[in-house]
Amino acid sequence: MRRRHRWLVGALLLGVAAAHAQQLVVMRDDGAVLLRLELSAVPTWEVRWYHSVAGFEVRDRYRLKGGQMLLQDSYAPDFAAGLGHIPGRGRLESDPNGGYWLREIDEPVPNNRYALRVGSARVDHRLVHAGRSISLSALAAGERVTLAVVPAAQSPAADVTP
């Protein structure tokens, strides 16, 4: 009987974990899924791209905390067009290699989703997760996509994960 109880408890715990599993999906406006990433083991990711005017790499780091997508940190080597620090929004920190970090932004992303106009190959929007870099520009340059955190059970059925 003890084995049966252990099996039942294990099955219930797996069911609870599956019910709370979250995925980051990238989809086109027509709902086609371009990318799906499981966030259970690694609940952080970055969106990286090259600034269209200055040409340097910008990094926005996100995390999932308590089911909420948060913009955690942002990095840029310079205060170029569209970049900078807003007092009260994170902590400005110099990077010893040059540039700056905006740390501890921890800004909730409304509805766990946001739209992104994917840049050309020169801009090279990339999604970095668990040591893997995926070029969004290779998948959807010039298109509007939505990045969204959704429960794994609710994510769209189609899967074209590269």
Side-chain angles (χ1 to χ4, degrees), residues 14-25 35-45 63-70 111-113 129 148-156:
L14 282 174
V16 168
H20 293 292
Q22 301 283 306
Q23 291 183 337
L24 176 66
V25 294
L35 180 64
R36 179 190 324 270
L37 300 173
E38 180 62 44
L39 298 176
S40 298
V42 182
T44 59
W45 66 94
R63 69 181 168 137
L64 183 64
K65 182 178 179 185
Q68 176 65 56
M69 182 194 305
L70 301 171
N111 301 315
N112 278 350
R113 61 182 50 232
H129 176 258
V149 171
V150 298
Q154 290 182 8
S155 65

Side-chain angles (χ1 to χ4, degrees), residues 18-134:
H20 293 292
Q22 301 283 306
Q23 291 183 337
L24 176 66
V25 294
V26 179
M27 61 190 122
R28 289 188 167 106
D29 284 346
D30 66 3
V33 175
L34 299 173
L35 180 64
R36 179 190 324 270
L37 300 173
E38 180 62 44
L39 298 176
S40 298
V42 182
T44 59
W45 66 94
E46 290 186 358
V47 176
R48 296 182 185 183
W49 72 95
Y50 293 100
H51 191 276
S52 61
V53 177
F56 53 65
E57 186 179 61
V58 179
R59 298 164 53 183
D60 285 336
R61 185 175 297 153
Y62 294 85
R63 69 181 168 137
L64 183 64
K65 182 178 179 185
Q68 176 65 56
M69 182 194 305
L70 301 171
L71 172 58
Q72 179 177 319
D73 302 304
S74 186
Y75 173 80
D78 194 344
F79 285 124
L83 302 174
H85 178 242
I86 299 169
R89 184 176 181 254
R91 178 176 46 84
L92 182 62
E93 180 181 295
S94 292
D95 180 39
N97 299 316
Y100 65 92
W101 279 97
L102 296 175
R103 300 275 192 197
E104 301 168 4
I105 298 170
D106 294 331
E107 182 177 279
V109 176
N111 301 315
N112 278 350
R113 61 182 50 232
Y114 70 93
L116 170 70
R117 175 70 59 187
V118 180
S120 67
R122 187 173 67 83
V123 173
D124 193 22
H125 275 103
R126 296 169 320 285
L127 195 59
V128 180
H129 176 258
R132 184 174 158 208
S133 180
I134 302 132

